[in-house]
Amino acid sequence: MMSVVRRGSTAKALRRTLAVMCLLALVACSTPTGGTTTEPATATTISESPTSSAEGTTTTNAEVVFDVGVTEDEVVFGAITDLTGPFAAQGIASSQGLQLAFDDINAAGGVCGRDLRVEIEDFGFDIQLGVAAYERLEPDVLSIIHTISAPLVNQLSPRLADDSMLTLGTPISTHLGHPYLVVPTTLFSVDLINGLSWFAEEHGLAEGDVLAYIYFEGPVGEDTVEGVTYAANELGLELNSQQVQVTEADLTAQVIAAQEAGASAFIVATSPRQLASIVAVATGIGFDIPILATTFSFDPSLLDTAVKDALESRVDLVGSFGVYSSPDPGPTRVRELFEAQYPDQPRTFGVMNSFSQGILAGEILARACQNRDITRSGMQEALQLLESVDTGGLVPLLDYSQPGRPPANQSYIAEPDAEVDGGMRLAVPYFDTPIGISFVDTIAP
């Protein structure tokens, strides 16, 4: 069940059969039969009647401790996303993916004898509105399972620690050391390192060639610069970096500067609108060099514009959140659910992204339930016991047993393709690279 708040609104979704969620089904067999209610700030314990698991073990008279965001029959999570700003397309898709994941879990029996519900707040990519959204959510939720803005998460970081609020953050290295921030997949910097390693060989880049790297300001851009710089040095490539404001629409000056620098390729980590500007300007001046872009820089709607042909012929995409059209079992299952629930809605990787986050939230909760502690601190402790979260290809295999290190190091390559659902075709399945792994060792030894 899900509530969407559009700076004050609502929504809903479906069912689950992914084998990766068997742990959730196992724990869902435990149904609370009684309990006591204490003052709001005090943890509550309930006793569970004997239950049988799929492995034949029995839990008898165990107590589950719970407090904020949890009742005897429901667990409430929060999400803060962009439904009306520059990343609205991804935010809407992500909200739909969360709906699908939680309704799917609930249809299979929930977790720890409880249904899962998510309250969604829209902040229009405005940091102050995002802080206000958090203030509204905090008193009523166990955990924040989706955020779309690294600057917002950074702004909230001290408060998250004070509130013991486990929060699924952004795949950037600065979020690795925070005890209550969960990196949900491969770091964006590692994606670009892996992608550039493949891209350089695929397009015959030679030592000394110049890469024009265009990225937006803020923690995501700064983090990816670190990765691209590392990869360029390891590959013997020169880097010409240009930072842009998130709100800039016309990147003519940046493209001309890249041409004057003699660039052999573009590396792009911007908004989709800015990627379209780069492609349009470069095509217009006959600067037809290849482009490697992050998946968050792309949206399928770009294939309905004048840059469609150039996108399909010159752009490669790198990321780790599952491709909508991927044949892997996770994306295949989510496609079935999504197209049944939202037959007329755009099909993007954002759905896969948030569905995987819904699975991860359920896995953490299931482990916390096994530990008989579904408080905020219990969720944080449970996270570090997860060694192999398999989402069936929605994201790489995740390992949270080594605090301070990213949970995955694999990425894929995709290509814009108007003929496939979601506008992206999987070209190279998940892979890692020696350069990517060595980079991780330098930032998270």
Side-chain angles (χ1 to χ4, degrees):
M1 184 184 300
M2 173 178 210
S3 299
V4 180
V5 181
R6 296 176 180 268
R7 285 185 266 206
S9 176
T10 317
K12 145 180 177 303
L14 220 45
R15 160 185 189 279
R16 145 198 130 183
T17 56
L18 286 174
V20 299
M21 306 181 73
C22 62
L23 176 61
L24 308 187
L26 186 158
V27 179
C29 294
S30 298
T31 304
T33 58
T36 59
T37 302
T38 63
E39 294 304 311
T42 307
T44 301
T45 62
I46 62 172
S47 296
E48 294 187 345
S49 56
T51 60
S52 297
S53 78
E55 298 175 349
T57 59
T58 301
T59 303
T60 307
N61 297 326
E63 289 187 333
V64 176
V65 181
F66 62 95
D67 53 18
V68 182
V70 184
T71 67
E72 285 88 348
D73 53 17
E74 183 180 66
V75 180
V76 183
F77 293 90
I80 306 172
T81 195
D82 179 11
L83 302 176
T84 54
F87 292 94
Q90 293 180 21
I92 292 169
S94 295
S95 298
Q96 292 165 340
L98 288 174
Q99 289 179 285
L100 292 175
F102 273 17
D103 280 1
D104 208 27
I105 291 171
N106 292 341
V111 179
C112 207
R114 297 162 170 83
D115 281 343
L116 310 189
R117 179 165 63 86
V118 60
E119 292 284 343
I120 293 185
E121 290 275 351
D122 169 38
F123 77 116
F125 222 75
D126 181 304
I127 301 303
Q128 294 310 310
L129 292 176
V131 172
Y134 177 82
E135 294 287 348
R136 289 191 294 273
L137 289 171
E138 189 279 328
D140 301 315
V141 302
L142 174 63
S143 172
I144 302 291
I145 62 164
H146 176 77
T147 55
I148 203 171
S149 166
L152 172 60
V153 173
N154 287 352
Q155 180 76 20
L156 293 173
S157 179
R159 179 67 186 274
L160 300 177
D162 291 343
D163 295 335
S164 301
M165 182 71 79
L166 194 69
T167 299
L168 270 65
T170 306
I172 58 176
S173 59
T174 53
H175 288 182
L176 288 174
H178 193 294
Y180 289 94
L181 278 178
V182 183
V183 171
T185 186
T186 303
L187 299 175
F188 287 144
S189 54
V190 175
D191 280 338
L192 280 168
I193 292 171
N194 291 341
L196 185 52
S197 298
W198 172 88
F199 185 80
E201 182 176 351
E202 179 73 10
H203 293 280
L205 299 181
E207 186 172 348
D209 281 351
V210 176
L211 299 175
Y213 182 45
I214 302 178
Y215 63 98
F216 50 36
E217 64 175 347
V220 170
E222 293 164 6
D223 191 74
T224 57
V225 166
E226 187 177 3
V228 171
T229 301
Y230 185 90
N233 289 337
E234 291 293 312
L235 295 169
L237 302 170
E238 300 294 325
L239 198 59
N240 177 269
S241 299
Q242 301 180 73
Q243 185 184 81
V244 297
Q245 303 287 317
V246 175
T247 54
E248 286 186 63
D250 183 358
L251 272 58
T252 299
Q254 288 77 12
V255 173
I256 291 174
Q259 185 180 43
E260 292 175 347
S264 298
F266 282 108
I267 310 297
V268 177
T270 65
S271 71
R273 180 175 61 175
Q274 291 168 328
L275 173 62
S277 177
I278 292 168
V279 173
V281 173
T283 301
I285 64 175
F287 191 36
D288 298 329
I289 59 176
I291 300 171
L292 175 69
T294 61
T295 52
F296 64 73
S297 302
F298 175 77
D299 186 83
S301 63
L302 298 182
L303 295 171
D304 295 325
T305 70
V307 298
K308 169 186 174 294
D309 291 344
L311 284 168
E312 291 182 326
S313 63
R314 290 172 42 213
V315 175
D316 296 303
L317 302 167
V318 63
S320 62
F321 291 120
V323 175
Y324 187 88
S325 61
S326 167
D328 287 340
T332 298
R333 173 60 178 157
V334 177
R335 276 198 308 277
E336 295 172 356
L337 297 174
F338 182 80
E339 291 167 19
Q341 183 74 0
Y342 305 106
D344 301 322
Q345 292 295 302
R347 300 165 182 182
T348 76
F349 77 92
V351 176
M352 305 296 167
N353 166 4
S354 57
F355 198 100
S356 72
Q357 292 174 339
I359 290 178
L360 178 57
E363 292 278 359
I364 299 169
L365 182 62
R367 185 56 59 92
C369 182
Q370 287 185 333
N371 294 345
R372 305 303 170 196
D373 184 355
I374 50 176
T375 63
R376 288 178 178 174
S377 60
M379 290 284 284
Q380 196 262 356
E381 293 170 4
L383 172 71
Q384 297 178 14
L385 298 175
L386 298 180
E387 297 181 349
S388 182
V389 178
D390 185 349
T391 63
L394 295 172
V395 290
L397 200 67
L398 302 174
D399 179 1
Y400 289 98
S401 64
Q402 301 179 67
R405 289 185 67 85
N409 294 316
Q410 293 187 314
S411 313
Y412 61 75
I413 302 295
E415 297 174 350
D417 187 342
E419 299 302 313
V420 302
D421 283 343
M424 290 197 312
R425 178 175 56 82
L426 184 64
V428 181
Y430 287 116
F431 66 98
D432 56 26
T433 62
I435 298 176
I437 293 171
S438 66
F439 172 75
V440 169
D441 288 338
T442 68
I443 63 170

